[in-house]
Amino acid sequence: MANEERNLILAFESSCDETSVAVIEDGHKILSNIVATQIKSHKRFGGVVPEVASRHHIEQITLCIDDALAEAQVTYDDLTAVAVTYGPGLVGALLVGVAAAKAVAFAHNLPLIPVNHMAGHIYAARFVAPIEFPALALLVSGGHTELVYLPGPNQFEIIGETRDDAAGEAYDKVGRVLGLAYPAGKQIDELAHQGQDTFHFPRAMVKEENFDFSFSGLKSAFINTVHHADQIGEALNRADLAASFQQSVVDVLVAKTDRALTEFPVRQLILAGGVAANSGLRADLTAMMEKHHPEVALLKAPLALCGDNAAMIGAAGYVAWQHGVRADLALNADPSLEFDWRSGMLP
């Protein structure tokens, strides 16, 4: 019988290359958050190999469940519900988490809560402070760069998104050109602080009257600059290259967010996703907010929860559970899942 004094969500995340299981109390307290990373396995390939990721998830998922329950000092009988990422992501990887969550829900007669991975990133901020609505989220990860308007709990409206490469993708591709190991984001951030913006790479779409992004042109400009220098035997300063690339990304993200905050009056701006850990982005976004939007609170996802993890899925799952979102055992992975913002329900 579920514990009546507190609501405990067993959450699963397996959308890419982290196998994670967490136990979350009342949507904002982490009792456990087990993350089995696969970075070492994918590093030699310079990126995530879907089949390798799926096999690792299969090996790790039951171990993560056992560790999460043990660390939280709870049993299946204490649980209130099960939450799981069902998209977007790599279909084979998603299927492992979905299958495990459905098995637990069925075996222990628990509600099954489907969670959009991107909603999880946004609700990671809930571990810092309650989200106040309406809110705006700048969501910057390996596969997504989006501005999301949140009119209320469990409601999402994408007002701007990348038209090609996401910011995180650009970081990894530029990192390969610089000879950095995957994932390259943190290394580029550290290198950027040792250099200056001397190359002045393009700020794509920064002056367009919309909230969309494009980083493909920046990536191409960076690669062309490096290849041209190689062909003529010119040595370029790697720190300056990193600083110039990063400043271009940050300038566009901050400018678009500034414009969105002007058009959409909100109480909070949430910074979330893997690239939200970038120190340059955090610093410039904070400075812009203090100068142009001092009335809006900036809520940053904790650094430890910017990457993929099940704690954030538990936080989003709790809110979805409160709003009556449920799935049956026919739930399947949806690798191209998008927000159904009007209700937060399954499409």
Side-chain angles (χ1 to χ4, degrees), residues 4 8 126 129 133 136 144 161 174 176 180 185 217 224 320 327 342:
E4 295 180 357
L8 300 181
R126 201 167 186 267
F133 302 96
L136 182 73
H144 295 80
E161 59 189 335
V174 162
R176 284 201 290 272
L180 302 175
N224 290 339
R342 290 173 296 278

Side-chain angles (χ1 to χ4, degrees), residues 2 7 9 14 16 19 23 28 37 97 124 142 156 167 171 182 192 226 241 245 298 310 318 322 334 338 340 342:
N7 296 301
I9 306 289
S14 67
C16 191
T19 311
V23 178
H28 62 83
T37 184
F156 313 91
Y171 266 90
Y182 171 86
V226 174
L241 280 168
F245 166 77
L298 176 57
Y318 175 78
Q322 284 186 311
D334 186 347
E338 295 183 357
D340 177 28
R342 290 173 296 278

Side-chain angles (χ1 to χ4, degrees), residues 2 10 30 45 59-60 96 121 134 177 182 192 217 233 237 271 275 295:
L10 181 68
I30 300 175
F45 303 111
E59 294 171 356
Q60 295 292 331
V96 177
H121 274 303
V177 176
Y182 171 86
N237 185 299
L271 176 62
V275 184
E295 75 287 357

Side-chain angles (χ1 to χ4, degrees), residues 66-297:
D66 292 343
D67 288 348
L69 292 173
E71 186 174 306
Q73 298 183 326
V74 300
T75 68
Y76 288 112
D77 290 338
D78 298 315
L79 300 176
T80 305
V82 178
V84 61
T85 299
Y86 75 110
L90 303 174
V91 64
L94 288 164
L95 282 169
V96 177
V98 170
K102 290 199 294 186
V104 172
F106 174 76
H108 300 280
N109 195 30
L110 293 167
L112 180 64
I113 309 164
V115 176
N116 184 312
H117 177 76
M118 309 317 293
H121 274 303
I122 292 172
Y123 273 92
R126 201 167 186 267
F127 293 111
V128 175
I131 296 176
E132 299 178 7
F133 302 96
L136 182 73
L138 173 60
L139 190 52
V140 197
S141 70
H144 295 80
T145 301
E146 300 171 345
L147 278 166
V148 185
Y149 178 63
L150 287 70
N154 209 47
Q155 295 180 340
F156 313 91
E157 178 184 358
I158 297 176
I159 62 171
E161 59 189 335
T162 184
R163 296 185 181 179
D164 40 59
D165 286 2
E169 286 179 285
Y171 266 90
D172 286 333
K173 291 173 181 176
V174 162
R176 284 201 290 272
V177 176
L178 287 174
L180 302 175
Y182 171 86
K186 184 177 180 181
Q187 299 170 76
I188 291 176
D189 188 19
E190 293 171 349
L191 197 57
H193 284 79
Q194 303 169 30
Q196 301 292 326
D197 179 11
T198 59
F199 291 91
H200 306 294
F201 290 123
R203 273 68 169 161
M205 300 177 64
V206 74
K207 294 182 179 179
E208 293 188 15
E209 293 298 322
N210 57 49
F211 307 118
D212 288 341
F213 305 92
S214 172
F215 297 106
S216 180
L218 167 61
K219 175 199 67 180
S220 297
F222 183 96
I223 293 173
N224 290 339
T225 298
V226 174
H227 284 178
H228 176 70
D230 288 343
Q231 289 170 354
I232 63 175
E234 181 183 356
L236 300 180
N237 185 299
R238 293 169 79 249
D240 287 347
L241 280 168
S244 300
F245 166 77
Q246 176 155 299
Q247 197 60 56
S248 177
V249 173
V250 170
D251 283 353
V252 172
L253 292 173
V254 172
K256 293 283 186 172
T257 304
D258 185 6
R259 187 176 300 144
L261 287 169
T262 300
E263 188 164 326
F264 289 82
V266 296
R267 300 179 68 182
Q268 283 181 338
L269 172 67
I270 300 166
L271 176 62
V275 184
N278 183 280
S279 62
L281 175 58
R282 286 184 169 236
D284 284 16
L285 195 64
T286 299
M288 180 275 288
M289 296 286 291
E290 291 175 350
K291 183 178 180 180
H292 296 162
H293 307 280
E295 75 287 357
V296 180

